[in-house]
Every structure is written in structure tokens, then in C-alpha cells.
Amino acid sequence: MELNKGTAVTLEVTVDETNLASAVGSGLLDVFATPAMIAQMESAAAQCMAQGLTEGQASVGTRIEVEHLAATPLGLVVTVTATVVAVDGRRVDFSLEAGDKTGVVGRGTHSRFVVDVDRFMAKALQKQG
């Protein structure tokens, strides 16, 4: 796997009826849901990491810690950036930040590991018996 510190991916998502707290069950209000923000953060990190993977490899999330600092209402765009802060063997650590036009709305950290797809899936499927 080839990935350097400082590599980043930025994604944008518009707050709509599908990613509101009231729609995903994480609250009653019509604002960007924390689970939706976390999903965008993890997606940005996964896409960032995919740049360094080779044939037969994938990445899996193993740890995420996030603060949702401010609400974003329907119609606004949320920009999410995942930046590589450390590479240690198969583990890659990211800093995460989400913002809307008013400033930072969330931040956190995330760790992902490189796995061999065939080995990983074989182990997971053993659980089926």
C-alpha cells in the first residue's frame, strides 16, 4: 500500500430529506444527522485510502471518534475532508473535518486497516457456520 501523510479527499453532500436526523432516527429535528455526517467522513477516508491499495486489497474502518459541533439545516451543503495523519504498516489514521458555509460543524479521527479481501471475507463467512 502506498499512501502518504497529508493525502486528503473532500466530499460534499447537500442536506436533504434522506439525511436528516428526523429521517434516520437519530433525533426529531430536521437538521443534518450525526450518523449521516459520520458516514460521509468514513466514505472520504475510504476513498482516500483506496488510492493506495493494490489488487486484492480493501480497507476497513476500525475506530472513529467524532464530535458534532453545530447543526446544519435542510438545503445547505456540508463539505467533509479526511486527511492522512499517520501510516503505520497496515493502519492509516485520519483527521476528519466537516463544515458548512458558516464554519466547522464536526471533527474527529478515524483509523482504517488494509486487508486482503479473500482472507477477510473467508473469515467473516465462517460465522455463518
Side-chain angles (χ1 to χ4, degrees), residues 12-45:
E12 289 186 347
V13 60
T14 300
V15 180
D16 63 24
E17 291 79 12
T18 66
N19 55 27
L20 296 173
S22 59
V24 302
S26 66
L28 301 175
L29 303 176
D30 291 338
V31 295
F32 194 48
T34 301
M37 182 184 74
I38 292 168
Q40 287 295 310
M41 290 173 158
E42 187 165 17
S43 181

Coordinates of all heavy atoms in Angstrom, one line a residue, residues 12-45:
E12 N -18.7 16.5 -0.8 CA -19.8 17.4 -0.5 C -21.1 16.6 -0.5 O -21.3 15.7 -1.3 CB -19.8 18.5 -1.5 CG -18.7 19.5 -1.4 CD -18.9 20.7 -2.3 OE1 -19.8 20.6 -3.2 OE2 -18.2 21.7 -2.2
V13 N -21.9 17.0 0.4 CA -23.3 16.4 0.5 C -24.3 17.5 0.8 O -24.0 18.4 1.7 CB -23.4 15.3 1.5 CG1 -23.0 15.7 2.9 CG2 -24.7 14.6 1.5
T14 N -25.4 17.5 0.1 CA -26.4 18.5 0.4 C -27.4 17.9 1.4 O -27.8 16.8 1.3 CB -27.2 18.9 -0.9 OG1 -26.3 19.4 -1.8 CG2 -28.3 19.9 -0.6
V15 N -27.7 18.7 2.4 CA -28.6 18.2 3.5 C -30.0 18.2 2.8 O -30.5 19.2 2.3 CB -28.6 19.1 4.7 CG1 -29.6 18.6 5.7 CG2 -27.2 19.2 5.3
D16 N -30.6 17.0 2.7 CA -31.9 16.8 2.1 C -32.7 15.9 3.0 O -32.3 15.5 4.2 CB -31.8 16.2 0.7 CG -31.2 14.8 0.6 OD1 -31.2 14.1 1.6 OD2 -30.6 14.5 -0.4
E17 N -33.9 15.5 2.6 CA -34.9 14.7 3.4 C -34.3 13.4 3.8 O -34.8 12.8 4.8 CB -36.2 14.6 2.6 CG -37.0 15.8 2.5 CD -36.5 16.7 1.3 OE1 -35.6 16.3 0.5 OE2 -36.9 17.9 1.3
T18 N -33.3 12.8 3.1 CA -32.8 11.5 3.4 C -31.8 11.5 4.4 O -31.5 10.4 5.0 CB -32.2 10.8 2.1 OG1 -31.1 11.6 1.7 CG2 -33.2 10.8 1.0
N19 N -31.1 12.6 4.7 CA -30.0 12.6 5.7 C -30.3 13.5 6.9 O -29.4 13.9 7.6 CB -28.7 12.9 5.1 CG -28.7 14.2 4.3 OD1 -29.4 15.1 4.6 ND2 -27.8 14.3 3.3
L20 N -31.6 13.7 7.2 CA -32.0 14.5 8.4 C -32.0 13.6 9.6 O -32.3 12.4 9.5 CB -33.3 15.1 8.2 CG -33.5 16.2 7.0 CD1 -34.9 16.5 6.9 CD2 -32.6 17.4 7.3
A21 N -31.8 14.1 10.7 CA -31.9 13.4 12.0 C -33.3 12.8 12.1 O -33.4 11.6 12.5 CB -31.5 14.3 13.2
S22 N -34.3 13.5 11.7 CA -35.6 13.1 11.8 C -35.9 11.9 10.9 O -36.8 11.1 11.2 CB -36.6 14.2 11.5 OG -36.4 14.7 10.2
A23 N -35.2 11.8 9.8 CA -35.4 10.7 8.8 C -34.6 9.4 9.2 O -35.1 8.3 8.9 CB -35.0 11.2 7.4
V24 N -33.4 9.6 9.8 CA -32.6 8.4 10.1 C -32.8 7.9 11.5 O -32.2 6.9 11.8 CB -31.1 8.7 9.8 CG1 -30.9 9.1 8.3 CG2 -30.5 9.7 10.7
G25 N -33.6 8.5 12.3 CA -33.9 8.0 13.6 C -32.9 8.4 14.7 O -32.9 7.9 15.8
S26 N -32.1 9.4 14.4 CA -31.1 9.9 15.4 C -31.6 11.1 16.2 O -30.8 11.7 16.9 CB -29.7 10.1 14.8 OG -29.8 11.2 13.9
G27 N -32.8 11.5 15.9 CA -33.3 12.7 16.6 C -34.6 13.1 16.0 O -35.1 12.4 15.0
L28 N -35.2 14.1 16.5 CA -36.5 14.6 16.0 C -36.4 15.8 15.1 O -37.4 16.2 14.4 CB -37.4 14.9 17.2 CG -37.7 13.7 18.1 CD1 -38.5 14.2 19.3 CD2 -38.4 12.6 17.4
L29 N -35.3 16.4 15.0 CA -35.1 17.7 14.3 C -34.7 17.5 12.8 O -34.1 16.5 12.4 CB -34.1 18.5 15.0 CG -34.5 18.8 16.5 CD1 -33.3 19.6 17.1 CD2 -35.8 19.5 16.6
D30 N -35.1 18.5 12.0 CA -34.8 18.5 10.6 C -33.5 19.2 10.3 O -33.4 20.3 9.7 CB -35.9 19.2 9.8 CG -37.2 18.3 9.8 OD1 -37.1 17.1 10.0 OD2 -38.3 18.9 9.6
V31 N -32.4 18.5 10.8 CA -31.0 19.0 10.6 C -30.2 17.8 10.2 O -30.6 16.7 10.4 CB -30.5 19.7 11.9 CG1 -31.2 20.9 12.2 CG2 -30.5 18.7 13.1
F32 N -29.0 18.1 9.7 CA -28.1 17.0 9.2 C -27.8 16.1 10.4 O -27.4 16.5 11.5 CB -26.8 17.7 8.7 CG -25.9 16.8 7.9 CD1 -26.4 16.0 6.9 CD2 -24.5 16.7 8.2 CE1 -25.5 15.1 6.2 CE2 -23.7 15.9 7.5 CZ -24.2 15.1 6.5
A33 N -28.1 14.8 10.1 CA -27.9 13.8 11.2 C -26.5 13.5 11.5 O -25.6 13.4 10.5 CB -28.6 12.5 10.7
T34 N -26.2 13.2 12.7 CA -24.8 12.8 13.1 C -24.4 11.5 12.4 O -23.3 11.5 11.8 CB -24.7 12.6 14.6 OG1 -25.0 13.9 15.2 CG2 -23.3 12.2 15.0
P35 N -25.3 10.5 12.3 CA -24.8 9.3 11.5 C -24.5 9.6 10.1 O -23.7 9.0 9.5 CB -26.0 8.3 11.7 CG -26.8 8.8 12.9 CD -26.6 10.3 12.9
A36 N -25.3 10.5 9.5 CA -25.0 10.9 8.1 C -23.7 11.6 7.9 O -22.9 11.3 7.0 CB -26.1 11.8 7.5
M37 N -23.3 12.4 8.9 CA -22.0 13.1 8.9 C -20.9 12.1 9.0 O -19.9 12.1 8.3 CB -21.9 14.2 10.0 CG -20.6 14.9 10.0 SD -20.5 16.1 11.4 CE -20.2 14.9 12.7
I38 N -21.1 11.2 10.0 CA -20.1 10.1 10.2 C -19.9 9.3 8.9 O -18.8 8.9 8.5 CB -20.4 9.3 11.4 CG1 -20.3 10.2 12.7 CG2 -19.5 8.1 11.5 CD1 -20.9 9.5 13.9
A39 N -21.0 8.9 8.3 CA -20.9 8.1 7.1 C -20.1 8.8 6.0 O -19.3 8.2 5.3 CB -22.3 7.7 6.6
Q40 N -20.3 10.1 5.8 CA -19.6 10.9 4.8 C -18.1 11.0 5.2 O -17.2 10.9 4.3 CB -20.2 12.3 4.7 CG -21.5 12.4 4.0 CD -21.4 12.0 2.5 OE1 -20.5 12.4 1.8 NE2 -22.2 11.1 2.1
M41 N -17.8 11.1 6.5 CA -16.4 11.2 6.9 C -15.7 9.9 6.6 O -14.6 9.8 6.1 CB -16.4 11.5 8.4 CG -16.7 12.9 8.8 SD -16.8 13.1 10.6 CE -16.6 14.9 10.7
E42 N -16.4 8.7 6.9 CA -15.8 7.4 6.7 C -15.7 7.2 5.2 O -14.7 6.6 4.7 CB -16.6 6.3 7.3 CG -15.9 5.0 7.2 CD -16.4 3.9 8.1 OE1 -17.5 4.0 8.7 OE2 -15.7 2.9 8.3
S43 N -16.6 7.6 4.4 CA -16.5 7.5 3.0 C -15.3 8.2 2.4 O -14.6 7.7 1.5 CB -17.8 8.0 2.3 OG -17.8 7.8 0.9
A44 N -15.1 9.5 2.9 CA -14.0 10.2 2.4 C -12.7 9.5 2.8 O -11.7 9.5 1.9 CB -14.0 11.6 3.0
A45 N -12.6 9.0 4.0 CA -11.4 8.3 4.4 C -11.2 7.0 3.5 O -10.1 6.7 3.1 CB -11.4 7.9 5.9

